């Protein structure tokens, strides 16, 4: 408390006694008020929602982008993967950046960059510029996601209120998953595909205005791993480039071979860097734990199947069935609703029958879903198409919450943030590589610029086969005792 000054006159002034040195207490951070906490929640919810919508809405706008910018299948694959790759590759470092800069500052930076990159996407004169802007969008989204969650953690001291706030945050992602294809279809058809990106501008401005009313965030010392981050980006970009371009240029072409070499060398360098780094981005010893390794493999397979199928269906509805963008977007609503409902049921089901049973069943159902939709043709009744997608909505959504909980229990508490970032990065990588491979198979089975049912079936068989493998691994390894 501040000291009180005595202003009464003194009879004989005496020199003041020397003050004994005492450390001044550090200024306490202001406790967040209910109103500022609500503002922080709204701001965080807007950011998480818009980056989720952007990941799914673009799939429905791909045919319109191709027609306007005259891009082939490879160009469309990069439009999707440029965003997902940077999102995945930078996810691990983004959490440490949010700690070092402060959640509010990092969130503001990420939101501002995402808004500017969205404007670049909307104004892109060609596929090359659009892909470059999508790379920036993905990098910004990687910062927005962990910073938005950290902002909620900072705003709510009470665990019960914080849990409700995080539940709203995750619900926003589920709603965005459902709204993305519908919104993308409506905007692409009624206004134009550029409106899909222009929509982000007012949302970004609203986020920055709301942040002015939130409390400043403390900065914390968080080690960075720049060498590990650079090698991760190079490995993922090199591998994705090789998969996408291998189907178009030829697997023995010089650019593809160089990309593969870059991917392999970067992956080896990453392992060497992480082994020697004092605070590695990915502690390699953590991967020896069976539950961690199985959860990462299963998360990769689930995302590869689900988001790969979303990519395929967006093209199937419009190019094989002749639907408008709006109609194609509406076809995803039942699937998104199933995902939302299964996400809510999964934790309760895991408590009753055990996580292992839910993880294995979810993957098995999703694998079955890949094979169930194999008979789709251009004459399959639409009601039957929706019915055949029911296992897709149930399988992955049942498995992922149980996988996440299994992963959190497999590591010490101080590793929770690290393993969570790794899990999300691996899942995003699965989606990116699925789009790269499936697009290549579509091009091989068709004209290179259109859609091929044969290529779609090959893609579904690959996804189903990988899921069968991770299902068996989960059944076998999760049933054994934990490794030391």
């Amino acid at each position: 408390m501040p000291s009180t000054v005595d202003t009464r006159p003194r009879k004989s002034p005496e020199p003041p006694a020397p003050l004994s040195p005492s450390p001044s207490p550090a200024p306490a951070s202001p406790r967040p008020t209910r109103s500022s906490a609500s503002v922080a929640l709204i701001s965080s919810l807007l950011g998480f929602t818009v980056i989720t919508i952007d990941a799914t809405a673009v799939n429905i706008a791909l045919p319109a982008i191709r027609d306007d910018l005259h891009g082939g299948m490879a160009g469309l694959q990069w439009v999707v993967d440029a965003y997902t790759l940077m999102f995945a590759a930078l996810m691990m470092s983004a959490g440490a950046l949010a700690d070092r800069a402060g959640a509010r500052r990092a969130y503001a930076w990420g939101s501002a960059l995402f808004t500017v990159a969205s404007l670049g996407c909307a104004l892109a004169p060609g596929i090359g510029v659009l892909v470059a802007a999508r790379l920036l969008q993905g990098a910004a989204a990687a910062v927005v996601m962990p910073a938005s969650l950290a902002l909620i953690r900072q705003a709510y001291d009470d665990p019960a209120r914080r849990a409700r706030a995080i539940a709203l945050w995750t619900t926003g992602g589920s709603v965005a998953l459902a709204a993305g294809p519908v919104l993308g279809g409506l905007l692409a058809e009624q206004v134009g595909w550029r409106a899909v990106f222009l929509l982000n501008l007012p949302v970004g401005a609203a986020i920055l205005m709301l942040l002015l009313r939130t409390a400043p965030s403390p900065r914390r010392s968080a080690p960075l791993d720049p060498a590990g981050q650079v090698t991760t980006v190079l490995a993922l970009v090199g591998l994705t480039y090789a998969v996408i371009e291998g189907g178009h240029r030829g697997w023995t072409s010089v650019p593809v071979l160089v990309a593969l070499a870059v991917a392999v060398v970067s992956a080896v360098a990453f392992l060497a860097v992480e082994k020697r780094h004092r605070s590695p981005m990915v502690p390699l010893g953590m991967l020896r734990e069976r539950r961690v390794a199985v959860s990462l493999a299963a998360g990769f397979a689930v995302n590869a199947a689900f988001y790969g199928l979303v990519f395929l269906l967006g093209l199937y509805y419009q190019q094989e069935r002749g639907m408008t963008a709006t109609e194609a977007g509406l076809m995803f609503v039942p699937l998104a609703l199933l995902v939302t409902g299964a996400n809510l049921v999964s934790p309760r089901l895991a408590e009753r029958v055990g996580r292992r049973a839910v993880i294995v069943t979810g993957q098995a159902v999703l694998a079955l879903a890949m094979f169930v939709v194999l008979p789709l043709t251009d004459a399959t009744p639409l009601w039957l198409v929706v019915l055949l997608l029911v296992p897709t909505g149930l399988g992955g959504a049942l498995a992922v919450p149980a996988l996440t909980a299994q992963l959190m229990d497999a590591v010490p508490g101080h590793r929770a943030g690290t393993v969570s970032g790794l899990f999300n990065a691996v899942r995003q990588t699965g989606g990116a590589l699925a789009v790269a491979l499936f697009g290549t198979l579509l091009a091989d089975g068709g004209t290179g610029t259109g859609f091929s049912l044969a290529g779609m079936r090959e893609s579904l068989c690959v996804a189903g086969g990988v899921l069968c493998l991770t299902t068996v691994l989960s059944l076998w390894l999760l049933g054994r005792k934990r490794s030391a």
Side-chain angles (χ1 to χ4, degrees), residues 13 43 73 76 78 87 90 128 194 220 238 268 293 296 301 316 373 392 422 433:
S43 175
M73 179 59 72
L76 298 184
W78 277 116
F87 198 171
L90 300 180
R194 297 178 191 273
R220 298 182 180 87
V268 172
L296 293 177
Y316 165 78
V373 296
T392 302
L422 178 61
L433 291 180

Side-chain angles (χ1 to χ4, degrees), residues 49-75:
T49 300
V50 78
I51 65 174
T52 304
I53 286 177
D54 216 72
T56 55
V58 173
N59 281 285
I60 305 302
L62 288 177
I65 293 173
R66 182 203 60 206
D67 294 342
D68 188 25
L69 300 184
H70 309 292
M73 179 59 72

Side-chain angles (χ1 to χ4, degrees), residues 163-174:
R164 289 194 293 269
I166 292 175
L168 285 173
W169 183 80
T170 54
T171 301
S174 298

Side-chain angles (χ1 to χ4, degrees), residues 51-143:
I51 65 174
T52 304
I53 286 177
D54 216 72
T56 55
V58 173
N59 281 285
I60 305 302
L62 288 177
I65 293 173
R66 182 203 60 206
D67 294 342
D68 188 25
L69 300 184
H70 309 292
M73 179 59 72
L76 298 184
Q77 290 168 271
W78 277 116
V79 168
V80 176
D81 272 355
Y83 181 87
T84 311
L85 269 180
M86 294 306 289
F87 198 171
L90 300 180
M91 183 80 71
M92 294 298 298
S93 294
L97 177 63
D99 285 340
R100 290 172 69 94
R104 188 179 75 163
R105 184 178 286 104
Y107 189 47
W109 290 348
S111 300
L113 178 59
F114 188 84
T115 305
V116 172
S118 297
L119 179 60
C121 291
L123 300 178
I127 285 288
V129 176
L130 178 58
V131 169
R134 289 283 283 169
L135 285 169
L136 287 178
Q137 268 195 319
V143 176

